[in-house]
Amino acid sequence: MIRLDRRILTHFDFVQPFLILPIIILSYILVSEANSILAGKQLVYFGVGLAAFLFFFLLPIRKIAWLIPLFYWICIVLLISVDLFGTSKLGAKRWLEFPFIHFTLQPSEIMKPALLLMLGYLIKQRPPEENGYSLKDFLRLSFYILLPFVLILKEPDLGTALILLIVGYAVLFIIGVNKKIWVVIFAGVLLSAPVIYENLHDYQKKRITDFLSEESNYHVRQSIIAIGSGGLKGKPKDEATQTHFKFLPISTSDFIFAYTIERYGFYGGLALLSFYGALIAHLLSLNYGLKDDYFTQTMASGIGVLIFIYVSINIMMTIGFAPVVGIPLPFYSYGGSSFVTFMCLFGILQNLLAFRFDPTYRLVKFKI
């Protein structure tokens, strides 16, 4: 058990809940207006998310850090099990269903904290040199990023696979890798782009084709209408016809940003983006105060990049600047899996920040 100490409060990052709570509150207001049944379920997700946050916040993560590789490899085994025993929905095999209790698990969601924890663990064990990681170390770390990427890509789940890939390499970019390596990678991606496209699934190619076509698909057209009708200040609840007459599809999850603009206008959307922008900037700024604490730097940078990717893709999707891929807005879109995942991530980060005063609460070294 972790002994409670008042120094925990002095090291706890209160900026994070200050920026996250308004996002959650506004989300619940919009979901309640659209569907009272979903609002009730969302309260349950809030409760589960809070429990997950408290669990990881009170868990002595640094003292049991030697278990991180085991957690990572368990997640890898779960991803392999999806290929062997997984349940298919809409042509994609992404879930494991437990017999008798009919509980389904999506291992790709668990892989997000597992990957960040593993990278933080590995980077802490072997920090970068002055000029950044050499090719040997870069390839060693890349193995742990590419393995889940390939397994998730096979499901197929291109969106989640790419998110993990980008987050993993963004963390390495922030922590430090020799610049020559990045130049070679960038050139390689450009040259291999046609080959990558040809090996995509048909539905993935269709999403790209729809995105590049002159006329947007139905979902995006309705989303743009909702955004345009909101004006500067938005509409009263009863006049938000795009949402309440069901013209705007999945308005409480994938297209909730369009619903936000319809209700609260440009100013409301700007306020929401300001909270996200401030949260991302704050998370990335933590690197300057953490100095040689590479474990915490990795978590803070990874979560910041992850939120940036989610927000960017979701909003570009709603205005027709990106294919519709079903990426939710963190803490904002209706649903439990994304909300609980981010609460777990922030619980881990707050744990690493709040308990860093304890000299006995350090990362135990365990060679892989």
Side-chain angles (χ1 to χ4, degrees), residues 55-75:
F55 174 80
F56 284 101
F57 177 68
L58 296 175
L59 193 69
I61 294 174
R62 295 183 193 265
K63 290 183 178 179
I64 61 171
W66 58 275
L67 289 172
I68 290 176
L70 177 62
F71 176 50
Y72 174 88
W73 287 110
I74 288 175
C75 291

Side-chain angles (χ1 to χ4, degrees), residues 318-335:
T318 61
I319 60 177
F321 282 13
V324 179
V325 291
I327 299 294
L329 277 175
F331 300 112
Y332 201 66
S333 296
Y334 167 79

Side-chain angles (χ1 to χ4, degrees), residues 122-138:
L122 293 170
I123 293 169
K124 177 67 176 180
Q125 299 294 333
R126 193 179 299 176
E129 300 173 358
E130 185 177 349
N131 294 325
Y133 279 118
S134 63
L135 180 60
K136 179 181 177 181
D137 287 322
F138 176 77

Side-chain angles (χ1 to χ4, degrees), residues 157 159 207 254 313 317 322-327:
D157 188 353
R207 285 178 176 176
D254 291 354
I313 294 177
M317 178 182 74
V324 179
V325 291
I327 299 294

Side-chain angles (χ1 to χ4, degrees), residues 8 17 31 37 39 79 110 129 154-155 163 183 228 230 266 270 273 277-278 280 284 289 311 313 317 321 323:
I8 295 172
V31 173
I37 297 175
L79 287 176
I110 308 175
E129 300 173 358
K154 284 185 64 179
E155 293 181 355
I163 287 173
V183 173
F266 172 79
L270 183 61
L273 292 181
I280 294 167
L284 295 179
V311 173
I313 294 177
M317 178 182 74
F321 282 13

